[in-house]
Amino acid sequence: MSAVMQNAAFRETGLDFSYELLEVRPEELRRTASEKLTGPGVRGANVTIPHKVEIMRYLDEIYYEAQRIGAVNLIVNDGGILKGYNTDGSAALRAIVETYGSIRDTRVIVLGAGGAARAVCYKLAESASEIMILNRTEEHAVALSDYLSAFPECRAVISAGSLQYESLRKGLEEADILVNTTPVGMHPKTESSPVASRLLRSDLLVFDTVYNPLMTRLLLDAEAVGARVLTGVQMLVYQGAATFELWTRRKAPEAVMMRAVMDALEGRAD
Ligand code: NAP
């Protein structure tokens, strides 16, 4: 989706850039960074699973938020100096605030404790009052909770538990916002949901970071009980827009980027 989105933005703004996909094996990461990414014709890169943490060893500068989150999803090549950023957390927060309004003093449940959860929880923790992280492997949730709680900018009380019916039931009784950062429900297993539908309530905002399909089983169930829903597409486009602006120093044509993503997703809807 990033190639579709960025190439549409380059066409729209008349910039002579092109976004290409590069498959990199872990043992090639150091050489890719030092040789391919520092070249004069390369403005930067996005980094995805499984390289978001490891890539940090090969960058010259890492911006504050990426350091805090502990992962880089965006690299800018400034004359051979590689600078690392993380735009996932801010993009998720922007999408949530646009839909929900201020998240100050809200109670949030986050499902998952991987890279997306780290970024989302870090940004939410600056304003929310409580965050409960529930994960398939409970120790990963506990580790993330401990890690984030140690930062002075973390305002939220963060708790952790295992992603199970009973913990979800208890957590959802009190929550304002539910965020899924697990891949459960993603194409092709579109009938799966991380949450039993009977636990959802009409006064929740349910945000699924999965964007293929656009309306996941979780979001369909949430909509059926009258809850507000937010798909993963806004987060995707907002992080893409931030990426475009850091690479080009031009305002991102967000509407064009959104249209390109929606067209591509709808074109391959199952
Ligand atoms: P990741 O680092 O691999 O983390 C995956 C997390 O999901 C882990 O906490 C893992 O639990 C959990 N998980 C995996 N399979 C599961 C299952 N079958 N049942 C329950 N939990 C499961 O991946 P990530 O980078 O965080 O990305 C996760 C998802 O976020 C992606 O699939 C993508 O859809 C979405 N995402 C969206 C955007 C966007 O812009 N919209 C951006 C980034 C990511 P364990 O700890 O037990 O392994």
Side-chain angles (χ1 to χ4, degrees):
M1 281 304 137
S2 289
V4 166
M5 174 166 64
Q6 298 296 350
N7 284 326
F10 298 146
R11 277 194 301 279
E12 174 70 16
T13 48
L15 289 166
D16 186 20
F17 279 46
S18 113
Y19 187 111
E20 281 152 33
L21 301 177
L22 187 64
E23 190 172 348
V24 179
R25 286 191 289 272
E27 62 275 18
E28 299 165 340
L29 194 59
R30 177 198 292 268
R31 240 183 96 202
T32 302
S34 64
E35 293 177 13
K36 291 197 174 147
L37 298 188
T38 51
V42 179
R43 182 61 180 139
N46 281 134
V47 188
T48 190
I49 299 173
H51 301 312
K52 285 184 175 184
V53 176
E54 187 63 16
I55 191 70
M56 295 171 81
R57 299 172 55 183
Y58 309 122
L59 303 179
D60 300 297
E61 292 172 22
I62 296 172
Y63 279 79
Y64 182 77
E65 204 155 291
Q67 275 181 27
R68 288 302 219 201
I69 291 167
V72 159
N73 71 324
L74 165 64
I75 298 170
V76 175
N77 174 24
D78 256 342
I81 306 292
L82 295 182
K83 300 177 176 177
Y85 298 80
N86 190 306
T87 54
D88 279 340
S90 306
L93 180 64
R94 182 179 159 198
I96 292 172
V97 169
E98 273 182 11
T99 310
Y100 187 85
S102 166
I103 62 152
R104 202 163 175 83
D105 298 328
T106 51
R107 289 159 297 188
V108 186
I109 298 192
V110 176
L111 312 182
R118 288 177 85 83
V120 169
C121 289
Y122 175 75
K123 290 305 289 181
L124 292 178
E126 292 173 339
S127 311
S129 63
E130 288 172 39
I131 299 176
M132 180 187 280
I133 304 171
L134 299 179
N135 192 48
R136 179 177 62 180
T137 310
E138 188 174 1
E139 303 87 82
H140 296 167
V142 172
L144 179 56
S145 163
D146 289 349
Y147 175 79
L148 294 173
S149 298
F151 293 140
E153 66 269 34
C154 172
R155 207 182 148 263
V157 174
I158 308 182
S159 59
S162 153
L163 178 49
Q164 282 172 358
Y165 184 87
E166 200 42 35
S167 47
L168 272 169
R169 190 189 62 75
K170 276 201 194 127
L172 281 168
E173 272 174 6
E174 306 254 292
D176 303 300
I177 300 172
L178 170 68
V179 183
N180 175 40
T181 73
T182 78
V184 178
M186 198 162 88
H187 186 84
K189 294 188 180 168
T190 54
E191 272 313 304
S192 311
S193 169
V195 182
S197 57
R198 61 187 167 279
L199 296 180
L200 297 167
R201 297 189 332 262
S202 61
D203 54 348
L204 277 172
L205 168 68
V206 181
F207 170 33
D208 202 334
T209 65
V210 170
Y211 52 80
N212 186 18
L214 266 180
M215 286 297 286
T216 57
R217 181 77 260 156
L218 172 63
L219 294 188
L220 290 169
D221 289 345
E223 205 173 52
V225 299
R228 275 186 287 175
V229 299
L230 174 61
T231 75
V233 161
Q234 277 93 333
M235 175 180 171
L236 175 74
V237 172
Y238 295 160
Q239 70 76 25
T243 293
F244 178 94
E245 290 176 3
L246 283 162
W247 282 339
T248 67
R249 302 194 186 99
R250 300 263 293 262
K251 182 98 188 87
E254 285 183 4
V256 169
M257 297 168 88
M258 175 69 80
R259 190 69 265 150
V261 170
M262 296 296 281
D263 285 349
L265 286 173
E266 280 160 6
R268 70 166 136 98
D270 43 338

